[in-house]
Amino acid sequence: MVPVLSLSLWIQSTAYIRVVEQVEDKHLLLAKHLSSTIDRHILGLQYFLKSSLFYNHASQEANHSHLVAFDGSFKRLGIKNISEIEAVKGHITIFGDEKLNPAIGVEKAADLMVNNKPAHAPVASQVLMSQGGQPLLYFLFNDKNARYIVALSTDFITELQQSIQFGRAGHAAIVDALGNVIAHPNTQWQQSIKNISSVAPVAEMMKGNSGVSQFYSPALHDDMISGYTIVKETGWGVMVPQPISELKAEAENSRRNSLVIAALGLFIAFIIAYLLTKYLSKPIKTVLDSLRDLSQGDKVSPPVKNTSIIQVKERNELIKRFYMSANNLEKFQENLAALVEERTSELREEINERKKIEEEMRHLATHDFLTGLPNRALFIDRFSDTYHALKQKDKDDSSCKHCGLLFLDLDNFKQVNDKYSHLLGDKLLKLVTERIVGCVTQTDTVARQSGDEFIILLTQVISNDALQQLAQKIIGTIEVPYIIDDKVIAIGVSIGGIIIDKKIALTPEEIIQKADILMYESKRKGGNSFTIYNDKKSNLVMS
C-alpha cells in the first residue's frame, strides 16, 4: 500500500512537468521533420530548374522554346510562372501567365529579395502577392547569362502544414525569412501574407535559431508552447505550437488516472492479502503458472473446473476474467503483428518511390530531356577525365594513346521545324540520335550540345583515317531519308573532327571550339561533309 500511494503522489506532483517535457521533444522533432521534408523538395526543385533553364545557353537560338518540353513537369512541381530579367529590356515572361508576376514588379521583387536575404539563407526567396491577387513563393536564380524570377505555388507547403493536427488546436505554421505567413490554419492570414515576425518563435527563426519556447498566440488568443526550426535551403521558419491549456488538461487527466490506479491497486492488494490467507493458494498458483506461460509466448490453457467443496464466487470470477483477458491479449498481439507488417511494407514502398524520384532528378540534371543523351555539363566532365588520363599515360603504356572528338550540326534542320512543326522536329532528333549512337561503341560518349548540335568523344580512335571513316559512316547513316508521320524527311550533317593525343597543346575547351570551327568549314562547303584537323600535317582533311 505504501509504494502505491507514494507512486500516486509522485505522479500527481510531476504530471505537468512530464507532459511539458514530452511535448517539447515531440514538437521540436515534428518541426525538424517538416523542415527536412521542405529542404528535400526545394533542393530537388533547384536541380530541376537549373537543368531546364540553363542547359540551352550554348545554343545560338536562345529563345527558350525548349521550355515547352517541361510544361508537364512544371505543373506537377507547382511552378506557375518564369520571367527572365534583362539589364536593358527589362523582364520577359518565358513561361506561365504574366498576371502571376509579383504585384510590385519583377525587377523590384528581385532587388527586394536580394536586399532582404538573411545571412543564414542560401536561397533568396519569399512570399509575395501576384498581380492576380494570389500569394505565391518567388525564387531568384542568377546565372552568368541571365537572371530569372520563378513563381511557385504554396499548395505543397500548405498540404504539409495541414498534415500536422493534434489535440484540440495543435497545428503547424510556416513563414518565410521575413516572418510573412506561407501556410497557417488562419487562411485569412495566409491569403493576406500577414507578417508575424513579432511572435517570439518567429523572431528566433529569423535569426536562424531552433528550439522550444512559450508565447501568446494572437490567432488563438491563448498561451502556446512551440517547437521551431528553420529550412536551411530557404531560411523559412517552421513551428509546431499547441495551447498550454491542453497540456494542463492532459496533466489533470494523468492525476485523475493516478488516483484511479492507486485506488485499484489498494483494492487488489487487500483482496490478494485476504484470499491468500483463506482460500486461494491453489488458484493463485494456477494464475501465476498461466502468467508465466503467457510471458514466454505460450498459449494459455483453459481453466480447470473447481471441484472443491468450498466455492468462492470471487475466486471463480477472477480466474474466468483472467483467461478472457489472456485470450483477448493473444488476439490483440496477432492483430498488432499484422498491422506492423502492413505498415512496414507501406514504408518500404514509400522509401523505394522516393529513391526512384531522386534518381530521376539526378538523371534530369545530367542528361538531355528530349533525347536522353548526356548534356553538355556531363560531357565536359567525361571529356576532361579522358583528356587528363591521356596526358598522364606513360610511354610504355600499351593502351590507346589517342582519342577523337567529332562536332556535328544537322543541315537544314531549321527548315524542317519551320515547314512541319517543332513536334516533328523533336521526333526527327530522336531518330537521328538513335542512328548516331548506332555508329559508335559503348565506350564512346554521344552528347547533345544544344538544338540540333551533337558532340561525340571517341576513346578508341587510333588514327586520322579511322576518324575520317567514322565521320563518313555517320554522314551516310544520317542522310538516309526518314519517314515520320507519313512524311519523308531528308537531311544532312556537317562534321568537324580532331584527333587528340598526349602531345596536343590545346585545352579541352579549345579542342571543342576547334571542332566547332571545323564543322562550320564543312557548312561553308555546302554541308553533308566533314573536315578533320590534322595536327601532324598542319592542315585540314576535307570531304
Side-chain angles (χ1 to χ4, degrees):
M1 292 173 64
V2 171
V4 170
L5 290 173
S6 301
L7 178 61
S8 175
L9 293 173
W10 177 80
I11 291 175
Q12 293 185 59
S13 62
T14 62
Y16 179 73
I17 297 175
R18 289 185 291 107
V19 168
V20 171
E21 291 175 349
Q22 292 173 2
V23 164
E24 289 179 349
D25 294 339
K26 180 181 69 174
H27 287 195
L28 184 57
L29 182 62
L30 282 172
K32 290 182 176 180
H33 177 71
L34 276 179
S35 171
S36 63
T37 301
I38 296 174
D39 266 326
R40 290 194 299 271
H41 178 73
I42 295 300
L43 187 60
L45 186 65
Q46 290 182 58
Y47 283 135
F48 177 77
L49 283 170
K50 288 179 181 177
S51 65
S52 61
L53 288 175
F54 302 150
Y55 91 113
N56 201 40
H57 281 165
S59 173
Q60 294 180 348
E61 300 178 5
N63 55 11
H64 303 288
S65 61
H66 68 286
L67 292 179
V68 176
F70 296 95
D71 184 78
S73 300
F74 285 161
K75 291 179 179 178
R76 287 192 297 272
L77 292 173
I79 298 173
K80 298 292 187 179
N81 173 276
I82 302 176
S83 293
E84 181 180 6
I85 304 174
E86 298 180 357
V88 178
K89 299 180 180 179
H91 75 274
I92 180 173
T93 299
I94 60 177
F95 172 80
D97 191 349
E98 178 74 16
K99 293 181 180 180
L100 297 180
N101 281 328
I104 62 174
V106 173
E107 292 81 4
K108 185 174 180 180
D111 295 337
L112 180 65
M113 284 190 281
V114 171
N115 295 333
N116 292 335
K117 179 178 179 294
H120 60 271
V123 175
S125 63
Q126 63 188 87
V127 59
L128 293 171
M129 192 67 70
S130 70
Q131 294 177 10
Q134 178 182 359
L136 296 174
L137 295 168
Y138 289 92
F139 288 76
L140 177 64
F141 285 85
N142 290 302
D143 183 65
K144 62 181 181 180
N145 298 309
R147 300 172 72 201
Y148 297 91
I149 285 266
V150 179
L152 179 67
S153 170
T154 61
D155 291 347
F156 176 76
I157 308 300
T158 301
E159 289 175 4
L160 282 179
Q161 180 270 323
Q162 292 176 349
S163 67
I164 304 300
Q165 295 180 357
F166 49 89
R168 178 177 57 84
H171 62 275
I174 303 172
V175 299
D176 67 14
L178 301 179
N180 298 317
V181 170
I182 299 177
H184 194 278
N186 190 328
T187 56
Q188 292 182 351
W189 284 15
Q190 185 170 317
Q191 290 299 320
S192 62
I193 316 179
K194 184 176 179 62
N195 186 283
I196 56 173
S197 57
S198 60
V199 177
V202 178
E204 289 299 317
M205 289 187 293
M206 291 174 63
K207 298 176 184 178
N209 297 329
S210 298
V212 179
S213 69
Q214 297 185 19
F215 67 100
Y216 178 77
S217 171
L220 298 179
H221 306 290
D222 199 353
D223 291 326
M224 311 287 285
I225 183 169
S226 174
Y228 59 90
T229 188
I230 63 168
V231 179
K232 296 180 180 179
E233 287 298 323
T234 59
W236 299 342
V238 178
M239 65 177 181
V240 180
Q242 183 178 10
I244 292 178
S245 58
E246 291 188 14
L247 305 186
K248 293 180 178 178
E250 185 176 346
E252 187 61 30
N253 289 335
S254 297
R255 293 189 184 99
R256 286 195 295 266
N257 291 338
S258 69
L259 290 174
V260 173
I261 293 173
L264 182 61
L266 293 174
F267 175 76
I268 293 175
F270 174 79
I271 294 298
I272 290 176
Y274 176 77
L275 294 179
L276 281 176
T277 59
K278 301 273 185 183
Y279 310 106
L280 295 183
S281 59
K282 183 177 180 180
I284 290 300
K285 184 178 181 302
T286 301
V287 170
L288 291 175
D289 292 341
S290 298
L291 282 172
R292 182 173 60 252
D293 295 339
L294 188 62
S295 65
Q296 294 174 353
D298 298 332
K299 288 186 175 293
V300 178
S301 302
V304 179
K305 186 176 180 180
N306 183 17
T307 58
S308 62
I309 299 175
I310 301 176
Q311 295 289 332
V312 180
K313 177 181 178 181
E314 290 80 0
R315 174 262 187 200
N316 295 336
E317 184 67 18
L318 174 63
I319 294 178
K320 177 182 177 181
R321 294 293 180 183
F322 168 76
Y323 283 103
M324 288 177 61
S325 300
N327 290 332
N328 291 335
L329 180 59
E330 290 177 358
K331 293 179 181 178
F332 173 77
Q333 290 174 335
E334 293 174 357
N335 293 335
L336 181 61
L339 290 174
V340 169
E341 180 62 28
E342 179 181 354
R343 182 55 182 157
T344 302
S345 178
E346 292 175 353
L347 289 174
R348 291 195 194 100
E349 292 178 359
E350 183 179 345
I351 291 171
N352 292 335
E353 183 66 22
R354 289 185 178 179
K355 289 182 177 178
K356 182 179 178 181
I357 292 174
E358 291 175 358
E359 291 174 358
E360 290 177 354
M361 296 299 290
R362 284 195 293 270
H363 185 272
L364 283 174
T366 57
H367 288 75
D368 178 56
F369 182 80
L370 177 64
T371 63
L373 293 175
N375 59 19
R376 175 178 174 83
L378 181 57
F379 179 84
I380 291 297
D381 287 343
R382 293 185 181 178
F383 183 28
S384 297
D385 292 342
T386 303
Y387 177 85
H388 292 305
L390 187 65
K391 284 286 188 178
Q392 295 173 2
K393 286 185 180 291
D394 297 331
K395 293 182 179 180
D396 298 333
D397 192 347
S398 60
S399 61
C400 181
K401 298 183 177 64
H402 301 80
C403 64
L405 186 137
L406 294 177
F407 199 105
L408 288 66
D409 186 274
L410 301 182
D411 298 329
N412 302 321
F413 179 76
K414 184 178 184 301
Q415 288 82 343
V416 173
N417 271 344
D418 295 341
K419 182 177 180 180
Y420 297 107
S421 70
H422 286 279
L423 180 60
L424 187 141
D426 289 345
K427 294 180 180 179
L428 178 59
L429 284 176
K430 292 181 180 179
L431 294 177
V432 169
T433 297
E434 294 176 359
R435 294 190 183 185
I436 294 174
V437 172
C439 293
V440 299
T441 66
Q442 293 183 348
T443 60
D444 301 328
T445 298
V446 180
R448 186 183 180 193
Q449 175 78 352
S450 64
D452 58 344
E453 293 181 346
F454 298 85
I455 189 166
I456 306 174
L457 175 63
L458 306 161
T459 59
Q460 300 297 325
V461 175
I462 60 175
S463 67
N464 251 34
D465 292 339
L467 191 61
Q468 295 174 41
Q469 292 173 7
L470 178 58
Q472 188 61 56
K473 178 181 179 182
I474 293 173
I475 291 173
T477 301
I478 291 179
E479 68 182 359
V480 176
Y482 303 78
I483 299 176
I484 305 174
D485 297 338
D486 298 329
K487 297 177 180 62
V488 178
I489 309 297
I491 62 170
V493 62
S494 297
I495 301 176
I498 183 170
I499 285 286
I500 307 165
D501 58 17
K502 184 176 182 179
K503 297 179 180 179
I504 193 166
L506 301 176
T507 66
E509 292 75 11
E510 292 172 340
I511 292 172
I512 295 175
Q513 185 179 8
K514 174 68 73 175
D516 190 7
I517 294 172
L518 295 173
M519 180 272 292
Y520 278 103
E521 288 289 339
S522 301
K523 286 279 187 185
R524 282 192 286 271
K525 293 184 301 180
N528 208 31
S529 61
F530 64 84
T531 304
I532 305 298
Y533 178 74
N534 189 338
D535 187 45
K536 294 181 179 179
K537 297 180 180 180
S538 299
N539 58 13
L540 302 179
V541 178
M542 303 183 182
S543 176

